[in-house]
């Protein structure tokens, strides 16, 4: 909480590169006095679900940042994180797995888009066209369950996935949702098509929640009565002029506008919102490949430095009683 206020935290998709960005943002906020482990509600998508699970397991942002930058974690953090909630397995398998050629994974979803082309989303269309992945995410699920004591955390933790056959977003962990373990929920949310096998829940094949939205920020609106302000960490967005050209830039602008649109209901309810997105410093070392680990340390450091330089403005926005949105940019 900030000055006693309840904070909702949204952690978006973005692969291992996105996790590095998350750790820099969250470590800087902890340095400024807000600990993300205290978030009243966490909404996680894809790698954001992994990051959220680590927070709910009690791993501090400081320790997450230390690991991302190649520094030793505290004894407590290392014990709580174990081997990283499937982190090593996920990054290794994603790095060496290709999409391959084969039968489309979801002819049913392709038929759905043909009938309703206005509902087509690029990520879901690509997922439907590519063959199903071969890597099992069961080890990830087991490690997350072990890390969280094989039970959902006491504080709300909502995980976003997508049904591969209907394109429907599925929120796991919400009251009334599918009765599954938290590890399976996170494994479903990270189910990158053509890499991981879909996770079957109640007869539905679930895959990466980032195919529906890069942040699924609108989900936090379901917790309006439980929070006083919102923080969004959106690694796949763009916070200002990028300072470079690249094939990822147009998509980042689309992601930015999508997140802003999703936050409209929260904004209209009068809740202060702070959105963290990469600026030119981070984008200098963040490109289109979300699984390129070569600059992970530098990405985390630059995100940390950037948020730290804007910390006073950030904390004022988080504590403001007046609804607004602050997209944290580089000056």
């Amino acid at each position: 909480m900030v000055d006693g206020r309840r904070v909702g935290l949204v952690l978006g998709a973005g692969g291992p590169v996105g996790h590095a960005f998350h750790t820099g943002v969250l470590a800087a906020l902890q340095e400024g006095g807000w600990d993300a482990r205290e978030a009243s509600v966490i909404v996680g998508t894809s790698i954001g679900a992994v990051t959220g699970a680590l927070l709910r397991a009690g791993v501090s942002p400081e320790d997450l940042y230390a690991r991302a930058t190649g520094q030793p974690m505290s004894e407590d953090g290392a014990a709580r994180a174990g081997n990283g909630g499937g982190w090593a397995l996920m990054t290794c398998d994603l790095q060496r797995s290709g999409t391959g050629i084969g039968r489309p994974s979801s002819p049913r979803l392709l038929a759905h888009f043909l009938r309703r082309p206005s509902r087509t989303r690029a990520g879901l269309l690509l997922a439907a066209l590519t063959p199903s992945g071969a890597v099992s995410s069961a080890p990830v699920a087991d490690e997350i369950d072990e890390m969280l004591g094989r039970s959902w955390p006491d504080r709300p933790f909502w995980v976003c996935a997508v049904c591969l056959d209907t394109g429907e977003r599925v929120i796991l962990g919400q009251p009334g949702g599918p009765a599954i373990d938290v590890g399976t929920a996170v494994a479903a949310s990270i189910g990158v098509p053509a890499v991981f096998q879909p996770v079957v829940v109640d007869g539905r094949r679930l895959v990466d929640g980032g195919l529906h939205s890069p942040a699924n920020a609108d989900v936090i609106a379901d917790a309006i009565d439980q929070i006083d302000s919102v923080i969004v960490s959106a690694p796949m967005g763009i916070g200002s002029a990028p300072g470079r050209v690249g094939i990822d830039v147009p998509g980042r602008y689309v992601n930015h506008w999508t997140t802003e649109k999703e936050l409209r209901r929260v904004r209209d309810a009068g809740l202060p919102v702070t959105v963290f997105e990469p600026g030119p410093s981070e984008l200098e070392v963040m490109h289109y490949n979300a699984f390129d680990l070569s600059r992970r340390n530098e990405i985390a450091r630059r995100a940390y430095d950037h948020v730290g330089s804007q910390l006073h403005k950030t904390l004022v926005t988080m504590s403001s009683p007046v609804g607004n949105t602050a997209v944290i940019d580089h000056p």
Side-chain angles (χ1 to χ4, degrees):
M1 294 185 288
V2 178
D3 295 333
R5 297 177 69 82
R6 303 166 299 171
V7 180
L9 175 63
V10 177
L11 298 168
V17 165
H19 177 74
F21 180 82
H22 286 321
T23 67
V25 169
L26 298 176
L29 290 175
Q30 184 178 22
E31 179 74 17
W34 183 71
D35 190 329
R37 291 175 293 181
E38 299 300 316
S40 296
V41 179
I42 295 178
V43 175
T45 297
S46 196
I47 199 61
V50 175
T51 307
L54 287 160
L55 292 171
R56 284 301 193 228
V59 183
S60 71
E62 182 181 33
D63 275 325
L64 292 178
Y65 179 71
R67 187 179 62 176
T69 54
Q71 304 301 312
M73 299 172 70
S74 71
E75 185 175 334
D76 177 71
R80 290 179 181 274
N83 62 7
W87 180 257
L89 170 102
M90 183 173 64
T91 54
C92 178
D93 283 334
L94 287 176
Q95 285 287 77
R96 67 168 179 256
S97 299
T99 57
I101 299 174
R103 182 177 181 272
S105 62
S106 185
R108 180 180 171 188
L109 184 56
L110 291 173
H112 173 77
F113 286 150
L114 287 174
R115 292 192 302 269
R116 299 175 179 85
S118 63
R119 297 185 182 183
T120 302
R121 292 176 181 260
L124 283 170
L125 179 60
L126 181 61
L129 286 168
T130 57
S132 293
V135 178
S136 171
S137 58
V140 178
D142 289 342
E143 291 174 11
I144 294 289
D145 278 335
E146 185 68 27
M147 190 172 62
L148 286 166
R150 301 197 174 277
S151 62
W152 284 87
D154 293 334
R155 293 189 180 188
F157 176 43
W158 299 342
V159 176
C160 301
V162 174
C163 177
L164 183 58
D165 294 310
T166 66
E168 173 191 11
R169 182 173 64 188
V170 180
I171 312 301
L172 304 164
Q174 282 187 333
I180 63 170
D181 58 276
V182 62
T184 297
V186 173
S189 188
I190 66 166
V192 178
V195 177
F196 284 115
Q197 298 169 356
V199 173
V200 180
V201 175
D202 293 344
R204 293 184 292 182
R205 297 189 298 162
L206 302 185
V207 292
D208 197 319
L211 299 172
H212 180 273
S213 164
N216 290 292
D218 56 319
V219 174
I220 199 68
D222 293 342
I224 282 178
D225 61 342
Q226 303 174 54
I227 57 177
D228 303 307
S229 60
V230 174
I231 293 174
V232 180
S233 178
M236 296 181 70
I238 189 167
S240 61
R244 65 165 175 81
V245 296
I247 61 174
D248 60 317
V249 172
R252 287 184 176 276
Y253 276 115
V254 171
N255 293 341
H256 168 81
W257 296 326
T258 297
T259 299
E260 285 298 298
K261 182 179 178 181
E262 290 174 341
L263 289 166
R264 187 174 302 159
R265 182 178 159 199
V266 178
R267 196 180 302 127
D268 289 347
L271 273 64
V273 178
T274 304
V275 181
F276 296 102
E277 297 176 300
S281 177
E282 295 96 322
L283 291 176
E284 187 178 9
V285 289
M286 293 173 73
H287 295 276
Y288 66 91
N289 185 357
F291 309 113
D292 180 4
L293 301 178
S294 63
R295 297 184 176 182
R296 180 178 62 178
N297 296 4
E298 186 63 21
I299 291 165
R301 291 191 183 96
R302 293 191 184 201
Y304 176 88
D305 291 343
H306 176 200
V307 175
S309 71
Q310 301 285 330
L311 202 53
H312 176 71
K313 183 172 85 171
T314 301
L315 296 178
V316 167
T317 301
M318 289 167 62
S319 301
S320 171
V322 179
N324 58 79
T325 297
V327 177
I328 305 301
D329 294 340
H330 287 260

